[in-house]
């Protein structure tokens, strides 16, 4: 079995009207429950991006190879992940089926990538 990262970019849900978000949340939680009941859910969650009035500890940071810590990547960047859904399934087709369910629930396209397998872990 392989693990797959199903994710969407930050801002991918910006087109959704505010009044629709409660239903989006319910639909997304339903897919999470379904995946958990099917025994394929490893982890899921949205990425927290702080605002100026929130704790500094919530701000993203980059740690370089020499240990230097810098702020960022910045929320204005288009390369930020907005949410993740990790499943362990026997085939890529099954991962794509779960991605389709997440896409429908979250009302945005999903990126699907397989994790490398390491027998030593």
């Amino acid at each position: 079995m392989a693990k797959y990262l199903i994710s969407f970019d930050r801002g991918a849900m910006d087109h959704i009207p505010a009044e629709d978000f409660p239903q989006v949340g319910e639909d997304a939680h339903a897919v999470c429950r379904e995946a958990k009941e099917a025994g394929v859910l490893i982890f899921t969650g949205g990425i927290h991006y702080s605002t100026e009035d929130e704790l500094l500890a919530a701000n993203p940071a980059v740690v370089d190879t020499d240990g230097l810590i810098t702020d960022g990547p910045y929320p204005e960047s288009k390369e930020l992940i907005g949410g993740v859904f990790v499943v362990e399934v026997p085939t890529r087709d099954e991962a794509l089926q779960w991605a389709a369910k997440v896409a429908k629930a979250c009302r945005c396209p999903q990126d699907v990538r397989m994790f490398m397998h390491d027998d030593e872990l």
Side-chain angles (χ1 to χ4, degrees):
M1 294 241 276
K3 291 180 180 77
Y4 290 86
L5 171 67
I6 299 169
S7 64
F8 58 91
D9 291 338
R10 183 172 188 264
M13 298 173 75
D14 288 353
H15 69 282
I16 301 170
E19 62 270 14
D20 291 349
F21 266 101
Q23 185 62 53
V24 171
E26 288 179 32
D27 293 347
H29 287 128
V31 173
C32 293
R33 285 190 299 275
E34 181 184 353
K36 187 174 183 180
E37 290 168 7
V40 300
L41 181 65
I42 301 297
F43 175 82
T44 188
I47 305 298
H48 178 76
Y49 293 99
S50 65
T51 58
E52 291 180 22
D53 61 342
E54 293 176 331
L55 297 175
L56 181 60
N59 290 338
V62 175
V63 181
D64 207 334
T65 56
D66 63 0
L68 178 67
I69 300 168
T70 56
D71 290 341
Y74 295 101
E76 296 80 20
S77 171
K78 294 184 186 285
E79 293 82 31
L80 296 177
I81 293 175
V84 298
F85 191 83
V86 179
V87 294
E88 185 171 29
V89 292
T91 67
R92 180 178 183 270
D93 285 342
E94 287 186 51
L96 294 173
Q97 290 171 9
W98 283 107
K101 292 178 183 189
V102 174
K104 183 177 180 181
C106 293
R107 280 93 166 152
C108 63
Q110 302 295 308
D111 182 27
V112 179
R113 298 178 187 249
M114 187 174 80
F115 284 98
M116 293 187 323
H117 181 73
D118 186 343
D119 289 329
E120 294 184 24
L121 295 177

